[in-house]
Amino acid sequence: TQSIDAFLSDFRPRRALSLHMAACLGRLPVWIEGAFDTRREQLVFVGLLLLGWLTLNVGLHFFSLYAVSERIGFDFPLFYTMWHMIISFGGSSLLIFGFQYAEISWVHWKAYKGQIILLSVLFCISYAANIASLAHLSLSVNLGVSACVPLPTIAFSVAFERDAIGQPIAYPRRVVAAVLVTMAGASVAVANHPEASPFGLVLVIIASLAAALWAVVSATLMKPETGLGAINLTWYSSFLSALMFLAMWLCSRELSGARALPLAVRVSP
């Protein structure tokens, strides 16, 4: 079904950011600074973070597939993702207010409100355009285009990110070569499955560009001088994203089906 296809490709922004992490490993969150004595300890910690992220992401992926399967039939991706944002907001609130792992400040909002709003808008555009594209092209083409996301991510990074001395971020040739090889492999994989309309391709390209820019905006916001890290940035952006997904859900066809779901559950044997 389209909803299963949507969930299969829902994690494009996270994939884009993970491929962009290679340029960001030297920038540990603010609350970690000074916690490690050696570079090796820092790298081990970052490796454990990546492993945990991958494990949780794969688990969420399979849970999403289970939720929209015929056995469960929860066919409401916008509603699902809205609650994903609400839970992210709740989890980051627990880490901020309960464990003091980060702090929120009105100064953050006044200084970076434009970028934070942009971050939330990009996530919503990426997700909404990706869902819409699946009505006009096959999943294989969708995933083939998404495999090309690292290239615009590198381009946006070079255009908008700067290093410690104010120079554009530079990527080794081997990184660019690896991205090109990945893109070539994706193109070959979908060459025999060209089920796509021009409108569908436009939508999935918009979704991919939004995901690539989302990754770069996230990286620029999490520089040490901003005071923003993964936890408080998630707190700010997930709240705004939840409101945006709520608006999209209220205007979508999912609303009537979601309203009828509790009644269907009560009357089912």
Side-chain angles (χ1 to χ4, degrees), residues 113-201:
K113 59 180 179 295
Q115 295 97 313
I116 293 173
I117 293 173
L118 176 61
L119 196 68
S120 301
V121 170
L122 288 172
F123 180 82
C124 294
I125 289 175
S126 178
Y127 184 81
N130 188 57
I131 290 178
S133 72
L134 292 168
H136 305 279
L137 47 76
S138 65
L139 177 62
S140 60
V141 175
N142 181 289
L143 294 178
V145 175
S146 72
C148 302
V149 169
L151 187 61
T153 301
I154 290 176
F156 285 136
S157 178
V158 172
F160 299 114
E161 280 198 272
R162 295 295 181 267
D163 60 19
I165 60 174
Q167 297 298 314
I169 296 293
Y171 287 86
R173 292 181 180 179
R174 62 180 180 274
V175 172
V176 178
V179 169
L180 294 177
V181 170
T182 301
M183 292 177 58
S187 301
V188 172
V190 302
N192 295 326
H193 305 280
E195 300 89 355
S197 69
F199 182 64
L201 288 174

Side-chain angles (χ1 to χ4, degrees), residues 8-32:
L8 280 171
S9 49
D10 174 30
F11 302 102
R12 177 184 288 109
R14 301 177 186 83
R15 289 197 301 269
L17 184 57
S18 67
L19 290 168
H20 184 59
M21 279 182 179
C24 307
L25 289 179
R27 300 198 297 267
L28 293 175
V30 174
W31 57 275
I32 298 177

Side-chain angles (χ1 to χ4, degrees), residues 36 38-50:
F36 303 102
T38 65
R39 181 63 173 173
R40 180 178 179 181
E41 291 179 352
Q42 291 182 353
L43 292 176
V44 169
F45 179 78
V46 171
L48 291 175
L49 283 180
L50 291 174

